[in-house]
Amino acid sequence: EAQVTQNPRYLITVTGKKLTVTCSQNMNHEYMSWYRQDPGLGLRQIYYSMNVEVTDKGDVPEGYKVSRKEKRNFPLILESPSPNQTSLYFCASSLWGGSYEQYFGPGTRLTVT
Amino acid sequence: KNEVEQSPQNLTAQEGEFITINCSYSVGISALHWLQQHPGGGIVSLFMLSSGKKKHGRLIATINIQEKHSSLHITASHPRDSAVYICAVGQGGSEKLVFGKGTKLTVNP
């Protein structure tokens, strides 16, 4: 089954404790992206990647890191999480960029206390 | 002003009604997406448009490139259509996606 998986689905952590949210797709897609969703603000793009070792900032990259060492994986790293990063996070992939159908992961609800 | 504006923000309808959700954008685009998010959070892609009109079952999406406007129509609405509908545009010249804030649709039986 074609899918995008994220782990963990729920995470409660404390300020400053480094964490990684994993994202994996099994569709051989070139494009992968991370979004955060906040009430009243909608979805906002954090980072995206067009290919292995190629990443670009979205609209809200501050406080986040990403890496794309393999085509199927695109982890999101919060090196020093803060309460304002409490949010619902989605990973997505597509064949090649924003002009193709987007496939979303199930979401990760992160709470930083 | 947001680059992608949706209207209305909230919409309540009776089962069977014809529903229209609008999306206007101010940037050059490569494609426009309509997404559906059910309570519980999962997001699925309904349509991707770069011109014209697409239809899938009771859902119809149209786009007018000159007017920078798209509409999502739902015919014979049903309570299971209750969800948040999100418009997103792929920006021309980059692969960034910009999203509208969503339209929350409630269809009552």
Side-chain angles (χ1 to χ4, degrees), chain A residues 72-87:
Chain A
R72 65 182 291 126
N73 296 323
F74 191 45
L76 179 69
I77 303 156
L78 285 72
E79 298 234 331
S80 184
S82 62
N84 65 12
Q85 293 178 298
T86 292
S87 188

Side-chain angles (χ1 to χ4, degrees), chain B residues 3-19:
Chain B
E3 293 171 311
V4 180
E5 296 275 0
Q6 283 186 239
S7 63
Q9 278 187 288
N10 293 283
L11 181 56
T12 301
Q14 288 301 121
E15 184 172 356
E17 285 184 5
F18 181 85
I19 287 161

Side-chain angles (χ1 to χ4, degrees), chain B residues 9-88:
Chain B
Q9 278 187 288
N10 293 283
L11 181 56
T12 301
Q14 288 301 121
E15 184 172 356
E17 285 184 5
F18 181 85
I19 287 161
T20 296
I21 299 170
N22 296 298
C23 176
S24 296
Y25 53 92
S26 58
V27 296
I29 69 167
S30 54
L32 183 142
H33 303 265
W34 281 104
L35 310 170
Q36 181 190 56
Q37 186 174 25
H38 276 290
I43 300 174
V44 296
S45 175
L46 297 175
F47 295 103
M48 191 199 66
L49 297 160
S50 54
S51 64
K53 175 179 173 178
K54 287 190 176 180
K55 184 175 190 289
H56 185 253
R58 296 180 294 106
L59 274 59
I60 303 166
T62 64
I63 188 168
N64 185 318
I65 298 294
Q66 286 73 29
E67 295 187 3
K68 295 188 174 180
H69 181 269
S70 175
S71 293
L72 176 67
H73 305 287
I74 304 175
T75 62
S77 59
H78 189 276
R80 66 175 174 265
D81 297 325
S82 297
V84 175
Y85 292 84
I86 302 167
C87 172

Side-chain angles (χ1 to χ4, degrees), chain A residues 23 54 96:
Chain A
C23 173
V54 179
W96 185 255

Side-chain angles (χ1 to χ4, degrees), chain A residues 31 37 45 59 97-100, chain B residues 30 33 37 48 95-97:
Chain A
Y31 182 87
Q37 187 177 39
Q45 194 167 33
D59 291 320
S99 305
Y100 291 80
Chain B
S30 54
H33 303 265
Q37 186 174 25
M48 191 199 66
E95 296 305 327
K96 287 175 65 174
L97 280 174

